[in-house]
């Protein structure tokens, strides 16, 4: 029950537009039950949430803020094993520079990572091919393959090694409910985070980094555009038939979805193979030998081709050759797989998701909570790290300008800058997926010619690369 | 075109005559004083708005959101920190004079990032509003000092005193602009910086700035501006240079009405900001 005096004050404030103090929530949570108040609570300590905590905690402008990171899973101790984990990500140059600025990258380098210096993408239904090479496109590596758990460990090592006094991390945190801040006259009130053990936290700014099924996003009640691809990403650690320098990422477009090999070391690569759900289940049930055969088929098998498409593609090649442009005929042959690491096979559902709003009063979403893409372009977590960078910079700028971290102008700037980058990427990735999961000759022809042309035109290729790395 | 002009003119006339605020201010007998830049009827104009100053959606709405460009302007003009050395109080130990501080919207914001702000305004009423708000603002620890004074009076005991002087949306209400600029520069330490924001004297500013925003859209209170008193960037630069200031930057400011957001832009046709350093 509200005390009459409180009620009167609240009414007075709402009637009076010159309210000086931001209205507190019409509290169903009494002040005394709140265990602790924070400036920022980050819900979800995956790769994106942890990196955000590190970025906020290290920022000198925010050193006065109290930050809490809530992660559902227990605090795992990490040990670098000789075997690679089956969950890896391809990190682009922008992610590397963020990680470098936070001094996280050195921990990854000390452990292990594999640079990607060459990338070859080709169509199973035609001879079309596109290749990217680090030397002529970026003057730097295209990407780095890093294991998910190693990346998380590197962030945690950095968090532990530097004194970030204003950051607290709670592992094994079960969040039961959110009561989000209400906006009044453009000022946000408090967010309440209730834990299943009865603890209650309050914060000015709540950041949802809780993955594709984000409960924070659901509490915001925003529109979420999503669909399932009815596909699963089958992953495994592959041992290659031959030892090589192995700095090439391979991707072949099969009519059922792309199969990709990401290099791990001289003789091992990580598999990400997108297939329809039934096929994924079948692949998981095969014996290791049968699975290896299936992967080799996916990389090498000739698919039935349309004569017309063949003729057009070879005509295009000859035109490009005459014009002195790369015709894509010089192709490298993909590796063969000898065997797989036992127990490394797994499948993950793939989907598309776009949260129409990334923000609400006093709330912001980052990473997969805000956007989810098909892994075919290896963009997922890189978009999330882009969110981390922009949000950190904008919150720091708000304080440096004397505003609250929840000020709507800065949150809106975060939303629009990120959506301007993320949405086109998501749409392009989705379009590629649609374009390549058909084998109708006219479409195969169109995409093949498109791919050949793109491959031939250096500036276009460069543009694609530079978008994919930012 | 002619039609729109007539409509705007009609709006203008109708509202000027109907506006109790302006008719009141027109009856005020301005005391002619050669040594002051303060124009009584202009003071009167502002005092009427009283408490509305601090309502974020009230008549001073655009002044509140204007802080989003005014603070970076003053801050980056006075201090420059690399990203990794920034702190929440970049203007710590900087003495700033806010000339024509009104209800204190800019003064409080500058105080919040550490500055020692003195706000002066010729209107007693407004100084009281500013004082009251700052006292009641519990979150504001570093309070500005407010004085009911003109800058000429203030100069008597504050020569070469401030690191920064800000006259935001003020000079367009001042009669004797030459004296005003001279006085503002005199309170500044050598090497200190002075900042102005003001509407330009262009047709665009007249139509968009005055007619549309004051009369049609009601974004700012009617009768706030008088076109003939506007000053162009060239004229203001000239006045500054003549008072031993080196003009370092002039840029345009644009107000997006729908989003209630200000931004720095190239064209200076509507409102502009100017920054100058006192050389000796
Ligand atoms: C097969 C596959 C391959 C991929 N390959 C790539 C690639 O090559 N490159 C790339 O960039 N991306 C890739 N991705 C995408 C990438 O894995 C995701 O984008 C990334 O994991 C998103 O990170 P996140 O931190 O936003 O979310 P998540 O990793 O989902 O983390 C969310 C965290 O929040 C925690 N959490 C959730 N709810 C709660 C709660 N209520 N309380 C407390 N904690 C909670 C979870 O425990 C989890 O730790 C791939 C994805 C798949 C499925």
């Amino acid at each position: 029950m509200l005390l009459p005096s409180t009620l009167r004050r609240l009414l007075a404030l709402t009637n009076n537009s010159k309210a000086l103090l931001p209205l507190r929530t019409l509290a169903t949570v009494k002040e005394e039950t709140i265990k602790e108040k924070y400036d920022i609570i980050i819900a979800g300590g995956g790769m994106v949430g942890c990196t955000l905590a590190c970025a906020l905690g290290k920022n000198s402008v925010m050193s006065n803020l109290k930050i809490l990171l809530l992660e559902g899973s227990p605090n795992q101790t990490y040990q670098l094993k000789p075997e690679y984990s089956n969950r890896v990500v391809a990190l682009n140059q922008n992610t590397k520079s963020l990680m470098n600025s936070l001094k996280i990258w050195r921990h990854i380098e000390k452990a292990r990572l594999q640079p990607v210096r060459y990338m070859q993408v080709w169509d199973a239904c035609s001879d079309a091919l596109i290749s990217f090479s680090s030397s002529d496109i970026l003057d730097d590596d295209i990407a780095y393959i890093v294991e998910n758990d190693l990346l998380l460990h590197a962030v945690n090592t950095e968090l532990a090694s530097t004194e970030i006094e204003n950051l607290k991390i709670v592992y094994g945190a079960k969040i039961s409910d959110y009561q989000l801040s209400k906006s009044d006259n453009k000022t946000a009130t408090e967010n309440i985070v209730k834990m299943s053990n009865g603890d209650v936290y309050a914060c000015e700014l709540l950041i949802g980094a809780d993955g594709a099924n984000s409960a924070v996003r659901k509490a915001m009640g925003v529109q979420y555009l999503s669909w399932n691809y009815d596909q699963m990403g089958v992953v495994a650690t592959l041992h290659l038939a031959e030892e090589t320098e192995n700095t090439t990422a391979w991707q072949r477009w099969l009519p059922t979805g792309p199969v990709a090999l990401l290099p791990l070391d001289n003789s091992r690569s990580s598999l990400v193979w997108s297939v329809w759900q039934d096929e994924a289940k079948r692949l998981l049930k095969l014996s290791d030998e049968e699975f290896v055969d299936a992967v080799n088929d996916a990389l090498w098998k000739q698919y039935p081709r349309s004569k017309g498409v063949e003729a057009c593609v070879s005509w295009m090649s000859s035109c490009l050759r005459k014009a002195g442009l790369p015709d894509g005929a010089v192709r490298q042959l993909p590796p063969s797989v000898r065997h797989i690491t036992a127990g490394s096979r797994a499948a993950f559902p793939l989907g598309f998701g776009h949260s129409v709003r990334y923000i609400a009063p006093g709330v912001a979403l980052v990473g997969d909570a805000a956007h989810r893409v098909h892994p075919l372009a290896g963009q997922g977590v890189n978009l999330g790290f882009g969110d981390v960078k922009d949000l950190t910079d904008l919150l720091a700028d708000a304080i440096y300008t004397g505003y609250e971290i929840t000020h709507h102008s800065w949150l809106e700037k975060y939303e629009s800058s990120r959506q301007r980058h993320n949405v086109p990427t998501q749409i392009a990735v989705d379009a590629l997926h649609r374009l390549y999961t058909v084998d109708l000759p006219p479409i195969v022809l169109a995409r093949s010619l498109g791919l050949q042309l793109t491959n031939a035109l250096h500036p276009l290729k460069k543009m694609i690369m530079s978008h994919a790395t930012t | 075109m002619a039609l729109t002009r007539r409509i705007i003119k009609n709006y203008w006339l109708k509202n000027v005559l109907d506006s109790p605020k302006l008719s009141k201010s027109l009856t005020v007998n301005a005391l002619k004083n050669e040594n002051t830049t303060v124009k009584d009827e202009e003071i009167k104009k502002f005092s009427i708005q009283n408490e509305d100053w601090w309502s974020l959606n009230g008549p001073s709405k655009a002044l509140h959101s204007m802080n989003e460009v005014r603070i970076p302007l003053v801050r980056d003009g006075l201090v420059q920190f690399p990203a990794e050395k920034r702190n929440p109080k970049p203007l710590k130990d900087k003495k700033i004079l806010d000339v024509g501080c009104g209800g204190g919207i800019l003064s409080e914001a500058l105080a919040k990032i550490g500055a020692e702000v003195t706000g002066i305004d010729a209107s007693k009423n407004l100084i009281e509003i500013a004082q009251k708000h700052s006292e009641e603002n519990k979150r504001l620890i570093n309070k500005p000092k407010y004085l009911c004074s003109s800058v000429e009076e203030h100069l008597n005991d504050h020569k070469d005193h401030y690191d920064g002087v800000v006259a935001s949306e003020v000079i367009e209400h001042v009669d004797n602009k030459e004296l005003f600029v001279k006085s503002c520069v005199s309170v500044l330490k050598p090497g200190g910086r002075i900042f102005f924001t003001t509407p330009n004297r262009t047709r665009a500013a007249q139509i968009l700035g005055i007619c549309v925003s004051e009369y049609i859209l009601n974004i700012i209170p009617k009768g706030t501006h008088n076109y003939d008193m506007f000053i162009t960037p060239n004229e203001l630069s000239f006045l500054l240079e003549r008072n031993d200031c080196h003009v370092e930057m002039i840029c345009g400011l644009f107000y997006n009405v729908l989003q209630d957001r200000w931004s720095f832009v190239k064209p200076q046709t509507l409102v502009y900001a100017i920054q100058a350093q006192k050389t000796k």
Side-chain angles (χ1 to χ4, degrees):
Chain A
M1 218 195 70
L2 285 163
L3 295 164
S5 66
T6 330
L7 192 64
R8 220 174 313 133
R9 215 185 79 216
L10 284 172
L11 286 174
L13 282 174
T14 29
N15 285 338
N16 192 339
S17 55
K18 59 173 173 150
L20 292 172
L21 303 162
L23 267 178
R24 294 284 129 189
T25 24
L26 285 165
T28 47
V29 178
K30 287 196 212 88
E31 288 278 314
E32 59 267 30
T33 62
I34 291 172
K35 187 177 171 195
E36 216 159 341
K37 287 191 181 203
Y38 288 89
D39 294 290
I40 302 177
I41 293 182
I42 304 169
M47 290 186 279
V48 173
C50 277
T51 308
L52 179 66
C54 188
L56 296 178
K58 281 193 163 199
N59 196 296
S60 62
V61 187
M62 287 183 261
S63 56
N64 295 339
L65 302 187
K66 274 177 75 184
I67 305 168
L68 175 68
L69 173 66
L70 298 171
E71 166 55 27
S73 54
N75 188 5
Q76 278 128 353
T77 47
Y78 176 84
Q79 267 233 294
L80 191 67
K81 298 191 192 87
E83 253 325 320
Y84 280 83
S85 151
N86 61 359
R87 292 303 311 274
V88 303
V89 282
L91 305 178
N92 63 24
Q93 287 294 341
N94 259 24
T95 299
K96 179 184 170 183
S97 52
L98 172 72
M99 293 298 176
N100 252 330
S101 72
L102 297 175
K103 302 213 164 67
I104 295 171
W105 196 253
R106 56 187 180 151
H107 303 301
I108 302 176
E109 270 179 333
K110 217 187 284 169
R112 63 187 172 203
L113 58 80
Q114 183 75 344
V116 177
R117 305 215 161 99
Y118 187 80
M119 199 164 98
Q120 180 168 303
V121 180
W122 73 109
D123 196 331
C125 300
S126 79
D127 275 333
L129 166 145
I130 190 165
S131 64
F132 299 96
S133 131
S134 53
S135 53
D136 61 27
I137 305 276
L138 288 172
D139 304 320
D140 208 343
D141 303 320
I142 296 173
Y144 302 89
I145 309 300
V146 177
E147 296 148 276
N148 292 14
D149 53 2
L150 171 60
L151 179 70
L152 256 180
H153 171 67
V155 182
N156 286 328
T157 309
E158 186 54 28
L159 283 175
S161 74
T162 46
E163 287 295 305
I164 303 179
E165 278 153 16
N166 56 334
L167 171 68
K168 189 179 163 194
I169 306 177
V170 175
Y171 291 98
K174 298 274 167 290
I175 300 168
S176 63
D177 193 21
Y178 294 105
Q179 205 173 299
L180 299 189
S181 119
K182 291 178 193 69
S183 137
D184 170 73
N185 216 349
K186 293 182 177 172
T187 3
T189 56
E190 264 178 343
N191 297 292
I192 304 290
V193 179
K194 293 184 189 166
M195 313 300 293
S196 53
N197 68 1
D199 287 350
V200 178
Y201 299 109
C203 65
E204 303 283 325
L205 179 64
L206 174 68
I207 301 177
D210 46 355
N213 269 319
S214 173
V216 173
R217 188 185 64 229
K218 284 170 193 157
M220 284 161 75
V222 293
Q223 209 184 343
Y224 185 61
L225 275 176
S226 68
W227 52 80
N228 237 316
Y229 285 119
D230 297 325
Q231 279 202 325
M232 308 273 280
V234 175
V235 298
T237 307
L238 309 175
H239 296 250
L240 308 178
E242 277 167 54
E243 237 178 68
T244 59
E245 198 198 357
N246 201 19
T247 50
T248 301
W250 307 92
Q251 180 153 306
R252 188 185 194 204
W253 293 96
L254 307 175
T256 49
V259 57
L261 260 57
L262 306 173
L264 296 174
D265 66 4
N266 291 353
S267 59
R268 282 174 287 188
S269 285
S270 183
L271 172 80
V272 186
W273 187 3
S274 311
V275 291
W276 303 113
Q277 271 156 0
D278 297 342
E279 176 67 359
K281 282 180 198 133
R282 191 186 71 83
L283 288 173
L284 289 184
K285 284 197 199 111
L286 297 177
S287 71
D288 280 359
E289 291 73 33
E290 290 168 321
F291 183 74
V292 168
D293 289 343
V295 175
N296 280 326
D297 270 357
L299 290 171
W300 289 94
K301 192 181 130 188
Q302 277 284 346
Y303 277 76
R305 293 189 175 187
S306 143
K307 283 258 153 36
V309 174
E310 289 263 84
C312 290
V313 170
S314 83
W315 172 78
M316 176 74 132
S317 292
S318 68
C319 289
L320 291 172
R321 221 169 14 249
K322 269 182 220 147
L325 293 169
D327 62 352
V330 224
R331 60 179 61 201
Q332 298 190 15
L333 297 179
S336 295
V337 178
R338 179 167 297 152
H339 61 97
I340 67 167
T341 300
S344 70
R345 248 184 294 165
F348 299 91
L350 305 179
F352 175 98
H354 162 66
S355 183
V356 173
R357 300 302 312 259
Y358 286 8
I359 58 160
V363 189
L365 297 175
V366 290
D368 275 22
H371 42 73
R372 188 176 175 207
V373 289
H374 196 290
L376 66 85
Q379 285 297 309
V381 81
N382 292 297
L383 297 182
F385 290 133
D387 299 347
V388 168
K389 169 143 191 7
D390 283 12
L391 184 60
T392 309
D393 288 351
L394 283 164
L395 293 180
D397 188 62
I399 300 174
Y400 190 56
T401 316
Y403 285 86
E404 308 294 323
I405 42 173
T406 51
H407 194 278
H408 66 103
S409 286
W410 273 265
L411 289 182
E412 277 162 21
K413 277 182 221 167
Y414 162 69
E415 180 182 70
S416 63
S417 88
R418 284 323 289 165
Q419 290 196 339
R420 223 173 301 157
H421 180 81
N422 295 347
V423 176
T425 311
Q426 288 179 273
I427 291 173
V429 169
D430 183 62
L432 279 177
H433 165 75
R434 284 166 200 278
L435 190 62
Y436 277 93
T437 41
V438 288
D439 49 7
L440 274 175
I443 293 178
V444 173
L445 176 63
R447 75 186 185 209
S448 300
L449 297 182
L451 200 64
Q452 278 182 301
L453 260 180
T454 312
N455 187 49
L457 301 175
H458 194 87
L460 188 59
K461 242 159 89 165
K462 204 161 173 160
M463 219 172 69
I464 295 173
M465 284 310 288
S466 77
H467 185 85
T469 55
T470 54
Chain B
M1 189 59 211
L3 183 69
T4 30
R5 210 176 292 156
R6 205 162 63 229
I7 292 172
I8 290 169
K9 209 166 173 183
N10 282 346
Y11 253 105
W12 170 261
L13 283 176
K14 179 175 167 296
N15 284 290
V16 168
L17 296 179
D18 287 357
S19 163
K21 294 173 189 173
L22 202 65
S23 29
K24 231 188 254 173
S25 71
L26 287 172
T27 59
V28 174
N29 241 336
L31 282 169
K32 276 280 168 218
N33 182 345
E34 290 299 301
N35 290 325
T36 183
T37 58
V38 177
K39 200 174 175 187
D40 284 2
E41 55 197 71
E42 295 280 331
I43 306 170
K44 192 84 182 180
K45 225 183 255 181
F46 279 110
S47 306
I48 299 159
Q49 296 174 38
N50 56 42
E51 288 92 359
D52 286 343
W53 271 88
W54 280 96
S55 154
L56 293 181
N57 279 317
S60 306
K61 176 176 163 182
L63 278 181
H64 281 281
S65 53
M66 197 182 197
N67 274 358
E68 290 175 27
V69 290
R70 294 191 288 187
I71 299 167
L73 174 79
V74 175
R75 180 196 63 198
D76 298 346
L78 292 178
V79 295
Q80 306 241 314
F81 288 105
E84 68 281 2
K85 293 238 166 64
R86 290 186 181 166
N87 64 72
K89 304 260 177 279
L91 290 184
K92 196 167 173 340
D93 299 331
K94 295 281 175 216
K95 291 196 189 75
I96 296 181
L97 180 69
D98 182 3
V99 182
C101 63
I105 294 173
L106 182 60
S107 297
E108 279 195 18
L110 291 171
K112 205 168 168 203
I113 54 171
E116 287 173 33
V117 182
T118 305
I120 58 170
D121 203 290
S123 155
K124 199 153 179 267
N125 188 357
L126 287 181
I127 288 296
E128 275 163 16
I129 293 169
Q131 189 70 45
K132 184 160 171 277
H133 187 274
S134 138
E135 276 162 21
E136 288 173 4
N137 186 350
K138 297 272 181 304
R139 291 193 179 201
L140 189 70
I141 304 182
N142 173 32
K143 314 248 183 216
K145 193 165 93 193
Y146 292 112
L147 299 167
C148 179
S149 159
S150 69
V151 65
E152 301 77 39
E153 285 162 15
H154 195 70
L155 173 61
N156 291 336
D157 41 6
H158 291 89
K159 196 169 179 336
D160 296 344
H161 183 76
Y162 292 100
D163 298 292
V165 170
V166 191
S168 180
E169 306 303 290
V170 178
I171 195 167
E172 67 272 23
H173 304 288
V174 171
D175 250 353
N176 190 343
K177 295 191 173 27
E178 210 170 329
L179 178 61
F180 180 75
V181 172
K182 191 175 156 67
S183 312
C184 286
V185 173
S186 300
V187 295
L188 204 57
K189 282 181 196 164
R193 286 187 167 82
I194 183 161
F195 307 87
F196 289 91
T197 73
T198 187
N200 198 346
R201 196 176 67 246
T202 58
R203 286 294 154 212
Q206 182 179 25
I207 293 170
L208 275 167
I210 306 184
C211 299
V212 180
S213 42
E214 285 186 19
Y215 290 91
I216 301 174
L217 296 173
N218 274 321
I219 305 166
I220 46 178
K222 295 189 181 74
T224 301
H225 290 111
N226 177 359
Y227 174 71
D228 293 331
M229 289 177 67
F230 287 6
I231 181 167
T232 67
N234 276 344
E235 292 163 350
L236 187 49
S237 298
F238 178 75
L239 287 182
L240 281 164
E241 299 278 353
R242 220 170 51 182
N243 284 290
D244 296 326
C245 283
H246 168 60
V247 174
E248 295 177 308
M249 191 227 29
I250 309 179
C251 76
L253 297 176
F254 178 73
Y255 182 55
N256 181 328
V257 180
L258 297 176
Q259 291 186 317
D260 183 25
R261 180 161 312 153
W262 287 84
S263 50
F264 291 103
V265 291
K266 260 223 179 87
Q268 299 155 10
T269 37
L270 295 172
V271 181
Y272 63 95
I274 194 164
Q275 173 189 321
Q277 185 176 31
K278 183 172 175 178
T279 49
K280 44 182 161 175

